[in-house]
Amino acid sequence: LLIVATDRISAFDVVMPNPIPDKGKVLTQLSIFWFNVTKGIVPNHLISTEVMDFPPECQPYREILKDRSMLVTKTDPIPVECVVRGYLSGSGWEEYKNKGEICGIPLPGGLTESSRLDEPIFTPATKAEAGMHDENITFQEVQKIVGEELAERLRVLSISVYKMARDYAEKRGILIADTKMEFGIKDGELILIDELLTPDSSRFWSKEDYQPGRSQKSFDKQFLRDYLISIKWDKNPPAPNLPQEIIQKTREKYLEAYERLVGNSLL
């Protein structure tokens, strides 16, 4: 399978009309970085990122594919989003406020927005059909979907990958509040697929600015979401055109996340 990451961006499950320059390169190169860092925990789908290794049909498009594509093993995807949360934010924060729990996992009372959890929790979600929102589900529901043994492996591997990435990123000034992973099965083996620990699939916060009790400065698409909320967009298509300033600042946040985590400049 050939995965190509474009510069398009979505928010609230709606694709924006304006691309974010170089976003596809950031997502691809950061995924490659994390796949290599975590391959000791769980194998992944990566075959090659060098366009010269791709099939002959791809060669006329070398310049388009460069730095934003991966040749990967095709798998049977698991129909569950594997979400791990180390901090209280987003839909998890909303659920905690209403129920005192997330995905059926009870949490201590008195936590505030962006609180760090004593231990990361596995809070899976359904993989929604196009145009629908993912919905948080309990671990018991995952067991019903994929079976008890596979559900437990997904939970253990997801938390292990998150913990390794969280500890690595924190040393580089980024707090990974939560992240979403996807797994597939190939020849009976469970492997990581899709993208991994990118600003699109994770919440990246600035460690130096972190303060529980409020939303955080981020290196991900939350900046874009905040802008769309500020203009009171109703979250239904078509999405509004984005001002150049919002496009540029979003691009800068993606690039800074990459540079902090990988240690070199992408461009």
Side-chain angles (χ1 to χ4, degrees):
L1 195 66
L2 182 67
I3 295 181
V4 184
T6 74
D7 291 339
R8 302 302 295 275
I9 191 167
S10 66
F12 306 112
D13 296 319
V14 180
V15 179
M16 300 292 112
N18 314 84
I20 306 298
D22 300 309
K23 172 180 172 277
K25 293 181 180 180
V26 170
L27 297 191
T28 301
Q29 296 304 313
L30 202 48
S31 291
I32 291 164
F33 169 77
W34 287 119
F35 280 136
N36 285 322
V37 167
T38 60
K39 63 186 178 185
I41 297 174
V42 57
N44 58 67
H45 66 171
L46 209 51
I47 296 173
S48 179
T49 59
E50 298 297 327
V51 182
M52 296 305 292
D53 297 338
F54 295 179
E57 297 91 333
C58 298
Q59 298 310 316
Y61 309 101
R62 280 196 296 271
E63 285 308 306
I64 298 172
L65 296 173
K66 186 174 183 292
D67 297 331
R68 63 169 71 245
S69 57
M70 300 184 287
L71 188 66
V72 302
T73 300
K74 192 171 184 178
T75 69
D76 293 319
I78 307 269
V80 172
E81 303 275 14
C82 294
V83 180
V84 181
R85 299 176 191 271
Y87 294 77
L88 206 49
S89 187
S91 65
W93 165 236
E94 293 302 320
E95 194 172 340
Y96 171 78
K97 282 194 296 183
N98 293 329
K99 302 179 182 177
E101 61 180 40
I102 305 177
C103 296
I105 302 169
L107 294 174
L111 298 179
T112 60
E113 182 176 9
S114 306
S115 288
R116 181 180 172 119
L117 303 176
D118 290 337
E119 277 294 318
I121 56 174
F122 182 66
T123 60
T126 58
K127 287 172 66 73
E129 297 297 319
M132 303 291 286
H133 295 280
D134 294 344
E135 288 189 10
N136 293 349
I137 57 176
T138 65
F139 184 66
Q140 288 70 32
E141 288 173 288
V142 178
Q143 290 177 316
K144 288 177 186 173
I145 294 169
V146 302
E148 291 185 10
E149 184 181 345
L150 183 53
E152 183 59 26
R153 288 186 66 205
L154 290 171
R155 176 163 66 178
V156 169
L157 289 174
S158 298
I159 291 175
S160 297
V161 168
Y162 170 80
K163 281 184 172 180
M164 174 183 268
R166 177 200 62 188
D167 295 347
Y168 174 92
E170 194 165 340
K171 294 172 187 169
R172 286 152 182 82
I174 289 181
L175 302 179
I176 303 178
D178 51 48
T179 194
K180 175 183 74 176
M181 296 170 225
E182 299 206 32
F183 290 83
I185 292 179
K186 175 70 173 179
D187 299 329
E189 184 178 33
L190 188 64
I191 63 177
L192 265 174
I193 62 171
D194 197 49
E195 62 182 314
L196 183 61
L197 291 153
T198 71
D200 267 21
S201 64
S202 319
R203 280 189 177 86
F204 290 165
W205 293 343
S206 167
K207 182 181 177 183
E208 62 190 9
D209 295 316
Y210 172 67
Q211 189 178 338
R214 59 168 173 81
S215 60
Q216 308 297 314
K217 289 185 179 178
S218 66
F219 296 100
D220 52 47
K221 66 165 75 172
Q222 190 59 45
F223 174 78
L224 172 62
R225 291 191 196 103
D226 290 344
Y227 164 75
L228 294 168
I229 290 168
S230 75
I231 64 170
K232 297 182 168 54
W233 173 52
D234 66 4
K235 303 180 184 177
N236 291 310
N241 274 303
L242 302 177
Q244 192 56 43
E245 178 191 10
I246 298 299
I247 293 170
Q248 183 60 28
K249 284 190 175 178
T250 303
R251 176 179 183 268
E252 288 169 3
K253 286 178 178 291
Y254 274 70
L255 287 170
E256 185 177 350
Y258 175 88
E259 288 164 9
R260 284 202 188 198
L261 290 167
V262 179
N264 59 41
S265 176
L266 179 66
L267 305 176

